[in-house]
């Protein structure tokens, strides 16, 4: 089975812009979670989607949003980018209790 | 409240020596426990997991971990370190009360000295 894929792998944006990241889960996985990883804060949970519904949400401002499509693919959007949004964004898909991670999207905000 | 504590943000071992990475958790319900490894500029790769049954679990690359409920620990070990083991290691718990709610430790960076 193909693993979790994320696009794009690298992205450079400027402050104030918005960005959309995409995640395709492992076939058959209906749960998709998003994480932000930074050297200072470590891995922080953004949100989880299951069957097109947000099931859990972390403690991030409303600028961070997501959605899931009927084929389980997910997107996350960050509006009005700030310098502090520079991070590795990881997507994970799961079936039952185990999460499998994609390679991540490295976002740099200038 | 659930939390995961990894003792030692940096661990150095000599090649061929025992690797021991420590993880303690707190949870109000029996958790599922995981170890992930992350190489530079990559995502997290599942090393091993404990769900139910045997408390000593074996994973990939010669790693194993033991779930000790009385100590609320899930330490990761490998008998003989290899240069390729140098990476960041994350311990995580999953509380399956409402969906997949993972809690990660802050990570341990493993250095292997030749």
């Amino acid at each position: 089975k193909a693993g979790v894929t994320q696009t794009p792998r690298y992205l450079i944006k400027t402050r104030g812009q918005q960005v959309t990241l995409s995640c395709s889960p492992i076939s058959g996985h209906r749960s998709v979670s998003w994480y932000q990883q930074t050297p200072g804060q470590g891995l922080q949970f953004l949100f989880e989607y299951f069957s097109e519904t947000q099931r859990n949400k972390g403690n991030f401002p409303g600028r961070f949003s997501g959605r899931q499509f009927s084929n389980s693919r997910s997107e996350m959007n960050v509006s009005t980018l700030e310098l502090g949004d520079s991070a590795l964004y990881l997507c994970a898909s799961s079936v039952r209790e185990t999460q499998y991670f994609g390679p991540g999207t490295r976002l740099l905000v200038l | 409240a659930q939390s995961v504590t990894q003792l030692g943000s940096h661990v150095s071992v000599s090649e061929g020596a025992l690797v021991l990475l420590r993880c303690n958790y707190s949870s109000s319900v029996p958790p599922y426990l995981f170890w992930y490894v992350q190489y530079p500029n990559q995502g997290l790769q599942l090393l091993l997991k404990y769900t139910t049954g045997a408390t000593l679990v074996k994973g990939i690359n010669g790693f194993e971990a033991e779930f000790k409920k009385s100590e609320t620990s899930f330490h990761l070990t490998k008998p003989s370190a290899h240069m390729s083991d140098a990476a960041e290691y994350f311990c995580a718990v999953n509380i399956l009360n409402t969906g997949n709610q993972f809690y990660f430790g802050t990570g341990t960076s493993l250095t292997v000295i030749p």
Side-chain angles (χ1 to χ4, degrees):
Chain A
K1 268 187 183 178
V4 179
T5 58
Q6 292 186 246
T7 56
R9 291 293 312 278
Y10 302 93
L11 207 49
I12 300 175
K13 292 287 188 178
T14 56
R15 277 182 302 173
Q17 287 187 310
Q18 74 161 11
V19 67
T20 299
L21 312 182
S22 181
C23 171
S24 292
I26 293 171
S27 177
H29 289 195
R30 295 165 62 189
S31 169
V32 174
S33 297
W34 289 89
Y35 295 85
Q36 181 195 67
Q37 187 179 29
T38 59
Q41 299 296 320
L43 274 159
Q44 293 189 282
F45 172 72
L46 281 155
F47 27 66
E48 182 211 4
Y49 284 86
F50 180 83
S51 293
E52 302 179 63
T53 300
Q54 188 179 85
R55 189 160 66 172
N56 285 297
K57 188 178 188 301
N59 190 26
F60 275 81
R63 299 186 297 108
F64 292 81
S65 62
R67 60 178 176 169
Q68 187 180 33
F69 301 94
S70 58
N71 62 357
S72 294
R73 189 177 70 86
S74 178
E75 290 181 346
M76 68 162 282
N77 183 275
V78 188
S79 62
T80 320
L81 283 165
E82 300 176 0
L83 295 179
D85 297 333
S86 294
L88 180 66
Y89 289 88
L90 293 165
C91 166
S93 75
S94 57
V95 59
R96 295 186 296 276
E97 76 290 332
T98 303
Q99 288 191 343
Y100 299 89
F101 284 80
T105 294
R106 174 77 61 184
L107 172 64
L108 177 62
V109 182
L110 301 176
Chain B
Q2 290 75 27
S3 69
V4 179
T5 303
Q6 290 185 240
L7 292 174
S9 57
H10 298 275
V11 171
S12 294
V13 299
S14 297
E15 191 174 15
L18 171 72
V19 176
L20 171 60
L21 304 183
R22 299 178 187 274
C23 174
N24 288 87
Y25 68 92
S26 66
S27 172
S28 54
V29 299
Y32 296 118
L33 298 160
F34 304 82
W35 276 99
Y36 288 88
V37 60
Q38 186 179 34
Y39 298 100
N41 294 313
Q42 294 186 27
L44 276 66
Q45 180 183 4
L46 179 67
L47 269 180
L48 49 78
K49 64 180 180 181
Y50 169 78
T51 54
T52 59
T55 56
L56 180 64
V57 292
K58 295 184 184 300
I60 62 172
N61 302 336
F63 285 93
E64 60 183 38
E66 186 171 13
F67 168 55
K68 293 187 176 180
K69 186 177 178 180
S70 61
E71 299 177 8
T72 61
S73 69
F74 191 56
H75 301 330
L76 181 71
T77 60
K78 181 174 180 177
S80 176
H82 191 273
M83 295 298 294
S84 61
D85 294 328
E88 188 88 16
Y89 291 80
F90 293 91
C91 180
V93 301
N94 184 4
I95 311 299
L96 273 178
N97 49 1
T98 52
N100 276 309
Q101 186 72 58
F102 267 65
Y103 298 85
F104 282 88
T106 52
T108 297
S109 178
L110 176 66
T111 300
V112 181
I113 303 166

